[in-house]
Amino acid sequence: MTKIRVLDPDTVNQIAAGEVVERPASVAKELLENAIDAGATSILVDVTSDMAAVTKIRVTDDGEGMTPEEAVLAFSPHATSKIRDIADLSAIHTLGFRGEALASIAAVAEVTMITRPRGAGALAGTRVVVRGGEVVEKSEVGAPEGTTIVVERLFYNTPARRKFLKSRNTELAHIYAVVENLALAHREIAFRVVHNGKERMATQRSGEVLATIAGLYGADLARALVPVEGRLPFIRISGYVSRPSESRGNPSQVFVSINGRSISSRRIAAAVREGYGTLLPKDRYPVAFIDLTIETDLVDVNVHPTKREVRLSREREITGAIAAAVEEALAGHDLLGDGAAEPVQQPLVPSEPARNPAPAAAEPEAAYAVGHRGLARSDRQLRRTETEGQENLLPPMEPIGQVAATYIVAEGTDGTLYLVDQHAAHERVLYDQVAEQRDKAAGSQELIMPVVLSLPPKESAALRDAVPLLADEGFLVEEFGRDTFAVRAVPVALGAVEDPGRVRETIDEVLAGEARTAPDRREAVTCIVACRGAVKAGALLTPDQQKRLLMQLARTKTPWTCPHGRPTVVAFDKRKLDGLFRRG
Ligand code: ADP
Ligand code: MG
């Protein structure tokens, strides 16, 4: 009587088939999954390589082990202890079930297995050696409970496949990625990776995802994360996402698990990214660790031989919920810099004055050239974005002055030094307002004098196409004659009533710029309008204007970055300043 049985051909035919052994990392993955399925609490991955390639992978677990019969049967094709027939698949809780990993690995390598079942008492362990699919040795050995599998000479009999292997370091990186994914999904297991005798990573059996993250990537990354929570009747979302300051050039560090299974899903990664909205530049991705608990009948794991991909029912609702949960998590958090500052627990009340108001703040407005054209213009720009808001997501800060007429210097009540990019900050304020007006289909203002544009045929065709898009944004554009257009109304935020030249520039930019190819044209147009209407870098601001800008910024939903994802505020807390001067 053994736990392992060979699946009948009907069942085999209904299981997604395909090659599972492509490279050393696939071997590591299959062996690790088997160890996890065997109930291991601690798993060691020991990798050996020479200069050119990975030469040996050894995985040791303290799981349930196998009897002598099972140890041999495990190498037969379609031999598994995990399902009996296809019906079992609908409620599968194990990582494996196809019963072909060990057979496939043993067909293209030399495999040694040493195993002894749990609670076997005085019974000895078993050693099985399989080469090119043939059992070449079976003997009794002394062994601890659990299983050790050693895979050597991978692809020794399939030189074509060996040729496709990448450099040693690339293959090692793939192995590490496999361990990272599994360790993140299985915090109840301690993982240790050793390469050529040196420990590469180690996690504790803490059950705590943050502890696992720190074990794999270091405490600094763990500190730069914000918790995410979400729930719908059929799904629970939990995990952590990075502050926008910790971003990556690709989605490879968006880790997703579904019901404890680590999976890869471009759609879910896109949903996580979507939750950041404009907090990240278009081409950047966050670091994220997302655990999804979904009713098992909504998840189909039988679509891909390595089970990395799954099919989800109600995928739209699920991705929508993920994006919303991420957005909410970020909106409620202090996203400054590296997370060194304490998270803001509650929205703060509008700024109380700093304890030691700096001299510049007290300086009379008159110190600034009265009637300076730039000042008047900044004033008009700021007046347009004045709102009655309660929200205040920035810590209280009092402006001290400007640097290079570009950055506002401010002091927080706790002695933190803030530098605010005035253009980026005002862009954020405008962007939020334009986006809101756009959603309310309001915010258009008629021009006293329509702005007339005469365009070359190619551009006028582009403008004709863009009329509905521009209308969404509050531009009323009418064609009246060949290649001639009248702009009759513009978004309020643009404030272009005073400046017809700006209307032309903005529309030019919409037509010519990246807005035409950007995947989300609407958002791109909103960005352009915000950028055009915002206070410029290099514009002198009075203390009052600086203060108003900071208050406006604090009332936005995401004050930490501009719509292009660049930071609006950087902070140097007292500790950091003391450190710079090597105090205490
Ligand atoms: P699958 O995991 O799909 O069942 P495998 O070829 O990976 O197929 O493994 C075949 C069988 O061998 C498993 O079903 C399991 O019963 C047994 N087995 C493999 N590895 C281990 C292990 N580390 N500890 C205990 N049993 C194992
Ligand atoms: Mg398996």
Side-chain angles (χ1 to χ4, degrees):
M1 186 52 197
T2 81
K3 62 175 180 176
I4 304 178
R5 43 180 77 214
V6 175
L7 295 172
D8 66 81
D10 266 4
T11 305
V12 169
N13 290 336
Q14 291 176 66
I15 295 179
E19 198 43 70
V20 293
V21 192
E22 282 171 14
R23 59 186 348 157
S26 1
V27 171
K29 175 170 187 284
E30 295 297 335
L31 299 184
L32 281 164
E33 290 191 346
N34 281 346
I36 294 166
D37 285 346
T41 64
S42 152
I43 303 175
L44 167 67
V45 185
D46 186 350
V47 184
T48 310
S49 71
D50 58 20
M51 297 295 280
V54 172
T55 53
K56 182 158 108 179
I57 299 173
R58 180 165 62 96
V59 173
T60 301
D61 69 56
D62 61 353
E64 67 184 6
M66 283 167 273
T67 65
E69 299 75 50
E70 288 164 353
V72 171
L73 202 48
F75 288 101
S76 307
H78 313 300
T80 182
S81 55
K82 298 165 195 175
I83 60 169
R84 277 144 199 274
D85 55 43
I86 203 76
D88 290 345
L89 258 192
S90 58
I92 189 91
H93 291 293
T94 53
L95 297 169
F97 54 76
R98 306 164 71 247
E100 60 176 8
L102 284 182
S104 311
I105 294 167
V108 292
E110 185 170 306
V111 182
T112 306
M113 176 199 279
I114 294 171
T115 186
R116 182 159 156 261
R118 264 188 204 148
L123 267 174
T126 310
R127 180 182 141 101
V128 178
V129 180
V130 187
R131 191 178 306 134
E134 299 296 321
V135 177
V136 296
E137 186 194 319
K138 182 187 171 197
S139 55
E140 252 188 47
V141 289
E145 293 180 359
T147 304
T148 292
I149 298 188
V150 183
V151 176
E152 289 162 289
R153 300 180 65 203
L154 183 61
F155 301 141
Y156 78 99
N157 53 357
T158 51
R161 258 198 279 183
R162 203 166 52 222
K163 258 197 288 203
F164 278 104
L165 293 179
K166 299 283 190 324
S167 75
R168 177 194 82 149
N169 284 350
T170 303
E171 297 300 335
L172 281 171
H174 281 283
I175 294 177
Y176 297 155
V178 161
V179 182
E180 287 167 17
N181 274 297
L182 288 169
L184 284 167
H186 296 276
R187 278 96 68 174
E188 74 288 0
I189 301 174
F191 289 82
R192 201 165 147 245
V193 180
V194 174
H195 170 232
N196 287 355
K198 252 203 170 138
E199 181 172 285
R200 292 288 153 172
M201 54 181 100
T203 65
Q204 309 288 314
R205 308 183 49 200
S206 66
E208 251 303 307
V209 68
L210 266 189
T212 304
I213 293 167
L216 296 173
Y217 307 104
D220 282 351
L221 179 75
R223 264 198 297 275
L225 300 174
V226 170
V228 178
E229 289 292 340
R231 195 185 267 280
L232 285 185
F234 52 89
I235 176 176
R236 209 175 83 82
I237 304 161
S238 70
Y240 289 87
V241 295
S242 58
R243 289 181 164 77
S245 57
E246 274 290 337
S247 68
R248 303 286 186 263
N250 61 58
S252 69
Q253 291 211 30
V254 176
F255 296 94
V256 181
S257 83
I258 295 185
N259 299 340
R261 187 188 296 274
S262 137
I263 61 125
S264 81
S265 159
R266 230 175 298 151
R267 298 227 174 98
I268 293 178
V272 173
R273 170 68 188 74
E274 194 191 317
Y276 281 73
T278 55
L279 284 173
L280 284 176
K282 280 244 138 58
D283 52 348
R284 303 294 292 178
Y285 289 83
V287 181
F289 306 91
I290 302 288
D291 294 328
L292 304 174
T293 312
I294 306 180
E295 286 177 9
T296 46
D297 56 351
L298 296 178
V299 188
D300 183 358
V301 294
N302 185 24
V303 293
H304 192 262
T306 63
K307 303 162 244 105
R308 271 292 279 170
E309 279 157 39
V310 297
R311 195 180 295 131
L312 293 176
S313 311
R314 309 177 74 160
E315 187 176 69
R316 284 267 284 288
E317 287 161 82
I318 291 172
T319 51
I322 293 168
V326 170
E327 187 179 342
E328 197 180 314
L330 294 167
H333 261 81
D334 183 341
L335 300 178
L336 269 190
D338 56 6
E342 287 300 306
V344 177
Q345 296 300 335
Q346 285 172 307
L348 292 149
V349 284
S351 54
E352 20 177 303
R355 257 172 281 124
N356 303 308
E363 213 167 299
E365 298 288 305
Y368 292 81
V370 180
H372 186 286
R373 258 191 78 218
L375 277 184
R377 176 175 171 178
S378 298
D379 218 65
R380 281 197 304 272
Q381 288 171 319
L382 285 170
R383 207 170 332 122
R384 279 196 296 276
T385 46
E386 220 73 77
T387 53
E388 307 284 304
Q390 297 303 313
E391 240 173 327
N392 190 341
L393 283 173
L394 286 179
M397 59 177 86
E398 193 67 19
I400 294 169
Q402 254 178 318
V403 177
T406 299
Y407 304 106
I408 297 171
V409 183
E411 184 189 355
T413 44
D414 57 355
T416 302
L417 166 69
Y418 296 98
L419 292 175
V420 180
D421 180 323
Q422 65 196 38
H423 175 68
H426 199 219
E427 242 182 339
R428 165 53 70 194
V429 173
L430 271 162
Y431 177 88
D432 278 22
Q433 289 186 9
V434 175
E436 191 181 317
Q437 285 160 358
R438 178 184 73 189
D439 293 342
K440 288 197 297 223
S444 192
Q445 63 185 342
E446 226 171 294
L447 296 178
I448 301 161
M449 285 283 293
V451 175
V452 176
L453 305 171
S454 292
L455 301 171
K458 212 171 136 207
E459 276 174 46
S460 72
L463 180 53
R464 208 170 291 126
D465 285 349
V467 166
L469 177 76
L470 288 164
D472 275 353
E473 295 296 321
F475 290 95
L476 177 60
V477 182
E478 283 171 6
E479 188 167 4
F480 74 98
R482 245 189 114 196
D483 301 332
T484 308
F485 297 81
V487 181
R488 300 196 181 281
V490 298
V492 174
L494 199 57
V497 187
E498 315 131 10
D499 192 352
R502 191 120 44 91
V503 176
R504 197 185 307 256
E505 280 170 27
T506 308
I507 288 182
D508 272 358
E509 201 175 336
V510 171
L511 293 180
E514 86 184 281
R516 265 165 63 193
T517 49
D520 186 349
R521 294 182 54 161
R522 245 186 131 191
E523 192 180 293
V525 174
T526 310
C527 278
I528 290 169
V529 171
C531 181
R532 286 275 156 188
V535 166
K536 296 272 171 287
L540 211 55
L541 300 177
T542 65
D544 176 58
Q545 290 174 336
Q546 295 164 22
K547 193 167 177 153
R548 276 156 60 201
L549 177 51
L550 293 185
M551 275 166 63
Q552 292 177 9
L553 179 65
R555 288 189 191 126
T556 61
K557 281 194 224 89
T558 49
W560 312 104
T561 60
C562 82
H564 311 290
R566 288 190 294 269
T568 51
V569 186
V570 296
F572 300 85
D573 63 13
K574 177 82 173 15
R575 221 181 45 201
K576 212 179 243 169
L577 292 176
D578 288 345
L580 288 173
F581 292 98
R582 313 226 172 96
R583 270 169 178 275

